[in-house]
């Protein structure tokens, strides 16, 4: 008869096995401690020797990169929670690579990282075949928006299939990260970790903006500012607009406002006093840094988010907070000042007196007949960088969209704009519905914060292209996924409580 010990699985036989011990047992002992393993090691030794003999130090460097990179890439695929944290960090730090003189296709680097996460998701989902978690209105809206952009390939008005390819690649890959987040974020503890990493990265961005404001730019940044045409965009009223670690001042400003909205939501929960003090300091720090960007469109986002907060979470405390916030905002708008940052903040609430705003209005009025007469627009990539590169002589090539919605209307047509508006509406609608369905206070607050942030992105996408750059594009789909994840976790908690209540008391 086979003993009970013989029936033990590998997992139960090594109950307290550490990660390194597991690696050593599986890889070094079970896989390599045999004739095949010795043969592979001998071949590897010969390859290393020949490589160093013919390529010298170059081969050694490539070997070291391979030894470090391969396990790192494997970890992203095999351990998606680790990969998601890496993705968030890279989305924030991507443009700092240029500060160190690292040239190359950094966008392709991010595409590769997201593809690895998608690969890991498909490998894992193939085992459990759990597709039910994706069945919700937000998912269907994501798929509709993705399908429409793919359909743009056959747009008869498109002047270049290559422009479509260069444009749809990041759109499709970033949209699919929604499914990566939906599948892999499965606990409140991991959600908290994501928020902590997010706030830490935002703190770094705000601190670096203070460095640029009061200490100055480094040599790489100064070389960038000296590039043709940059001063016209970033040097306003004798003051340089700051961009911190981000691609431009707009991305920097928006990535200060969104974490501030999250901190305000958390500030109103039942947390310890010291945590509220920390959150309050972060809010002030982020918003102060935001002013260095000189991005007027970012200034209206927080008041708009607070208005929706007052509507969704209506009570006496929120009403008092909203009244005082409104009074303080009015004071900032009308107070006389010589501070260039505060003055630019004030102009955001007086758009008709702003030359750049009036220019955008004229451009939008000029392009309206084209939008109305082209149901699918001029094709993806018909404006901006790809339009100038692939169809330089077209009507749209040199048109400045200056707005995420205008770009969608011009490139995807009024039908595409309708699809995009449905996409945005379904996310905000889902957030509002889920907020009232969730019972757990912590998850309820997270859902509320994500809904307010999506609402703010929706508004920000009108004056600027709010969802075009890292990390905003990644964070947008993360926040859309968290709206569903919070409800899913809340339902799981309720089911677990009900299951425990049904267990008979045997004591």
């Amino acid at each position: 008869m086979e003993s009970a010990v013989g029936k033990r699985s590998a997992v139960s036989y090594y109950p307290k096995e550490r990660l390194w011990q597991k690696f050593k047992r599986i890889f070094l002992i079970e896989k390599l401690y045999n004739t095949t393993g010795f043969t592979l090691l001998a071949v590897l030794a010969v390859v290393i020797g020949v490589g160093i003999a013919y390529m010298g130090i170059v081969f050694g460097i490539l070997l070291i990169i391979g030894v470090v990179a391969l396990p790192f890439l494997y970890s992203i695929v095999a351990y998606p929670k680790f990969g998601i944290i890496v993705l968030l960090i890279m989305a924030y730090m991507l443009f700092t690579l240029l500060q160190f003189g690292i040239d190359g296709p950094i966008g392709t680097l991010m595409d590769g990282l997201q593809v690895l996460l998608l690969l890991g998701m498909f490998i894992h989902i193939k085992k459990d075949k759990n597709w039910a978690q994706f069945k919700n209105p937000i998912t269907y809206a994501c798929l509709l928006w993705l399908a429409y952009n793919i359909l743009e390939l056959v747009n008869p008005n498109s002047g270049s299939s290559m422009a479509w390819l260069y444009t749809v690649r990041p759109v499709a890959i970033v949209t699919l990260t929604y499914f990566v987040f939906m599948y892999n974020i499965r606990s409140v503890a991991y959600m908290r970790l994501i928020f902590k990493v997010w706030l830490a990265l935002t703190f770094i961005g705000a601190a670096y903006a203070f460095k640029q404001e009061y200490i100055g730019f480094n040599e790489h940044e100064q070389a960038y500012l000296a590039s043709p045409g940059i001063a016209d965009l970033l040097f306003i009223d004798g003051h340089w607009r700051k961009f911190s670690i981000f691609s431009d001042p707009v991305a920097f400003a928006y990535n200060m406002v969104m974490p501030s909205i999250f901190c305000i939501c958390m500030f109103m929960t039942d947390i310890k006093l010291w945590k509220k003090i920390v959150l309050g300091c972060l809010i002030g720090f982020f918003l102060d840094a935001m002013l260095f960007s000189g991005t007027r469109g970012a200034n209206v986002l927080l008041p708009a988010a607070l208005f929706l907060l007052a509507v969704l979470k209506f009570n006496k405390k929120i009403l008092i907070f909203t009244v005082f916030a409104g009074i303080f905002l009015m004071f900032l708008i009308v107070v006389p000042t010589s501070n260039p940052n505060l003055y630019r903040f004030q102009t955001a609430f007086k758009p008709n007196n702003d030359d750049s705003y009036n220019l955008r209005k004229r451009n939008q009025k000029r392009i309206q007949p084209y939008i109305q007469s082209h149901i699918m627009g001029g094709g993806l990539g018909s404006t901006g960088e790809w339009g100038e590169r692939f169809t330089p002589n077209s009507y749209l090539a040199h048109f400045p969209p200056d707005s995420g919605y205008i770009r969608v209307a011009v490139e995807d047509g009024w039908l595409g704009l309708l699809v995009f508006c449905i996409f945005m509406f379904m996310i905000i609608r889902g957030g509002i519905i889920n907020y009232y369905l969730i019972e757990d206070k912590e998850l309820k607050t997270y859902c509320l914060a994500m809904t307010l942030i999506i609402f703010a992105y929706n508004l920000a996408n009108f004056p600027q292209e709010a969802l075009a750059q890292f990390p905003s594009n990644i964070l947008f789909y993360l926040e859309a996924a968290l709206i569903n994840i919070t409800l899913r976790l809340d339902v799981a908690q309720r089911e677990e409580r009900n299951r425990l209540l049904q267990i008979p008391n045997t004591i």
Side-chain angles (χ1 to χ4, degrees), residues 28 31 33 35 63 74 76 78 85 120 134 137 166 174 176 179 192 229 257 259 291 321 356 362 380 397 493 500:
L28 298 181
K31 301 297 183 185
Y33 196 68
T35 303
L63 181 63
Y74 171 79
I76 292 173
I85 299 299
F134 298 120
Y166 275 83
V174 172
L176 290 174
F179 297 92
R192 295 191 196 113
V257 175
L291 294 177
F321 175 81
S356 63
R362 289 194 295 270
L380 292 184
Q493 289 180 2
L500 293 175

Side-chain angles (χ1 to χ4, degrees), residues 25 27 43 69 78 102 105 114 117 149 201 257 272 294 310 315 334 363 384 394 413 425 430 440:
R25 172 176 59 81
F27 186 72
V43 172
I102 300 176
Q114 293 169 83
L117 284 169
N149 280 278
L201 292 169
V257 175
K272 295 180 179 179
N315 56 49
V334 301
N363 286 333
S394 67
F425 170 77
D440 183 88

Side-chain angles (χ1 to χ4, degrees), residues 410-426:
V410 172
E411 296 189 353
D412 294 272
W414 59 263
L415 179 59
L417 180 61
L418 176 62
V419 172
F420 185 74
C421 289
I422 292 173
F423 171 50
M424 282 289 193
F425 170 77
M426 294 304 294

Side-chain angles (χ1 to χ4, degrees), residues 237-410:
D237 297 329
H239 189 261
W240 284 104
R241 300 174 63 187
K242 306 307 182 295
F243 46 86
S244 184
I245 60 175
F246 301 90
S247 61
D248 53 71
V250 174
F252 164 51
Y254 289 166
N255 281 284
M256 294 295 108
V257 175
M258 306 311 171
S260 299
I261 295 173
F262 173 78
C263 290
I264 289 173
C265 291
M266 296 304 300
F267 186 84
M268 293 182 295
T269 58
D270 296 328
I271 56 177
K272 295 180 179 179
L273 178 60
W274 71 268
K275 291 185 178 180
K276 289 189 175 183
I277 294 174
V278 171
L279 289 172
C281 292
L282 288 178
I283 293 169
F285 188 56
F286 295 162
L287 295 180
D288 194 10
M290 179 204 71
L291 294 177
F292 302 152
S293 72
T295 303
R296 284 182 289 251
N299 299 326
V300 302
L301 300 183
L302 185 60
L306 291 177
F307 174 77
L308 182 59
L309 172 65
V311 172
L312 296 180
K313 195 177 173 66
F314 185 79
N315 56 49
K316 185 177 180 180
K317 290 182 179 179
I318 297 298
L319 181 60
I320 295 173
F321 175 81
T322 304
V323 170
F324 277 101
I327 294 173
F328 181 66
L329 177 64
M330 290 301 299
F331 171 77
L332 290 179
I333 294 174
V334 301
V335 64
T337 181
S338 59
N339 185 296
N341 292 320
L342 182 56
Y343 176 76
R344 194 165 178 83
F345 169 83
Q346 293 174 340
T347 60
F349 299 90
K350 306 170 185 177
N352 291 329
N353 298 330
D354 180 58
D355 293 337
S356 63
Y357 175 78
N358 291 326
L359 176 61
R360 291 177 186 180
K361 284 179 62 176
R362 289 194 295 270
N363 286 333
Q364 292 170 11
K365 192 69 177 178
R366 174 169 63 88
I367 204 66
Q368 278 184 1
Y370 182 90
I371 296 172
Q372 294 168 356
S373 60
H374 293 75
I375 184 172
M376 295 185 68
L380 292 184
S382 56
T383 62
E385 177 185 358
W386 303 128
E388 293 179 1
R389 176 177 174 181
F390 294 107
T391 55
N393 298 321
S394 67
Y395 174 68
L396 300 177
H398 303 285
F399 173 77
D402 291 328
S403 164
Y405 280 102
I406 296 300
R407 179 180 287 274
V408 170
V410 172

Side-chain angles (χ1 to χ4, degrees), residues 61 72 100 152 189 313 336 362 370 388 397 400 427 448 459 495:
I61 294 174
F72 181 76
F100 295 100
E152 277 287 320
K313 195 177 173 66
R362 289 194 295 270
Y370 182 90
E388 293 179 1
I427 298 176
L448 173 64
L459 297 179
E495 291 176 348

Side-chain angles (χ1 to χ4, degrees), residues 141-155 163-165 167-173 175 376 379-381 407-408 411-413 416-417 419-420 423 477:
C142 280
L143 292 174
L144 176 62
W145 173 240
L146 179 60
Y148 185 86
N149 280 278
I150 295 174
L151 185 64
E152 277 287 320
L153 176 62
V154 297
N155 184 347
W164 173 88
L165 179 63
T167 305
V168 81
R169 186 196 70 189
V171 170
I173 295 177
T175 303
M376 295 185 68
L380 292 184
R407 179 180 287 274
V408 170
E411 296 189 353
D412 294 272
L417 180 61
V419 172
F420 185 74
F423 171 50
Y477 286 100

